[in-house]
Amino acid sequence: GKTFFYNWNEGSTDSVLQVNKQHAEKLQSLLHKIAIENKAPNTALYEIGAAYTALMQRDFITSRTLLDRAKTMPLTAKLNDQWQMTNLLLEVNATEKIDAKFEEKILPSIKWLAQKALSDKQEGNGWSTPPSSWKLFYRNLMSEVVSKRYRQQGDRYKEALAVGSAEYVANGGKASEYGSVSADFLHNQSASKDVETLYAYLTAKTKTPYADFLTKNNALKLPAVIDFAGTAYLRDNNYAKAIEWLAKSPVASNSTIEKNPFIELMYDQEERLAGDKIKTTKLAFAKEMQRLQALSKTDKANASQHLYKMALGFYNTTYYGYAWELVEYYRSGVDGYYIPKDATTFQKNYYGSYKAQDYFKMAMDASNNKEFKAKCLFMMAKCAQKQIRRPQYEDFNYNWEQYDAGIKSYYREFRNNQYFPRLKSEYADTRFYREAFNTCSYLRDFDIK
């Protein structure tokens, strides 16, 4: 999962990290010493503190011993709360696997903490007003501890629900005013197989008490899950499954995208063109892509046109495409020309246009029309440009001179597209080439040099 904070010393074997570890060990020893001497008031406070400090060091056995000892001491209401929270953290961290038996074991503690958080009416904005400590504790437990344990186990659907429960309780048991964190998490961290399992978990007629609590106290609702299931299969190019899910999604059915997803554009355009009067939906797009897919195999005489239209559909649903909203929920303006590390198949196609390039090539190979082949080759060149990785500042350890040299080298490679030589040598006499020459500055730079 993702962490909220970055530790500059993470993974190091010396310096501050080791010094702090030594301090933690000394603090644990001191707190335990004060507790067993029984000279200070509220001795349980020190023993619980020692147990928590051991937990910080991942010494779970010692932490359990100290915490059990603290339970035998007189506990005020506040100290009992502190004991309960420390015990919950220890249980979740120390167990090897969060299975149904363990979920049943920790459910009373989870419910106790949720009740504390929801009954605390303090709702700070995090800036001028401090938020409820109980809400923050529940949020951090579920989103930073429990969810990550589920990810380690491969239970991605429960990971999403843990994040959704964190959002729900932290927001006082209501929808957030600033958009759903859990829905965003689902869109960016899950695949079609995960969301199928999530749907089955949410809709199961018989649920364990833990599943019942987790699904009821959650910001992640069924309509959002169904919509994303359809979108996830759309990302997979599995149109039959996408149609199946999108057809029963009220979100997808009512969500119109006012763009033509099969538009032909020489110049990448994200905002809607003034002359574009076509509207579509995710469901309509999936049905058309499925129809084209079938026709490309059965209607051989027009296969090139069917393949070309599919290629346009693939290209227009990339990061650079005209109708990216069909497969994504948000688009940053600064993510282009860089495929993320450990990218999924969808992300490789979304940022690298590989699928579109393959289909433009299939369309070109299926045709004997020179003008059409020139158009396909030019679109292949557009796709190939997206696969050249733009250097990142951090690649050069934030050295500006080296970064600047890397960017200049990148632009040279960007202009010298692998398909431009063939486009010029074989299709320079076509009407399309002249049009592309006057539209694409990269082709013009290549041609004139």
Side-chain angles (χ1 to χ4, degrees), residues 407-425:
I407 285 291
K408 289 175 181 176
S409 175
Y410 162 76
Y411 278 125
R412 282 194 298 272
E413 184 180 4
F414 197 80
R415 286 192 297 270
N416 287 279
N417 191 289
Q418 61 174 307
Y419 294 111
F420 282 172
R422 183 181 175 188
L423 191 61
K424 182 179 180 180
S425 64

Side-chain angles (χ1 to χ4, degrees), residues 180-196:
S180 175
V181 172
S182 53
D184 288 343
F185 183 89
L186 183 69
H187 301 159
N188 296 308
Q189 300 287 330
S190 301
S192 51
K193 60 181 176 59
D194 304 313
V195 79
E196 285 254 21

Side-chain angles (χ1 to χ4, degrees), residues 12-26:
S12 66
T13 56
D14 57 3
S15 186
V16 179
L17 193 64
Q18 290 303 305
V19 171
N20 287 341
K21 187 176 186 299
Q22 293 167 19
H23 285 319
E25 291 170 350
K26 291 177 181 178

Side-chain angles (χ1 to χ4, degrees), residues 286-311:
K287 287 181 176 179
E288 179 63 6
M289 290 294 278
Q290 185 185 53
R291 187 184 75 87
L292 292 167
Q293 195 173 52
L295 285 173
S296 68
K297 298 172 183 176
T298 58
D299 182 14
K300 295 298 182 181
N302 299 297
S304 62
Q305 297 300 320
H306 302 316
L307 291 166
Y308 182 75
K309 189 174 181 181
M310 284 190 75

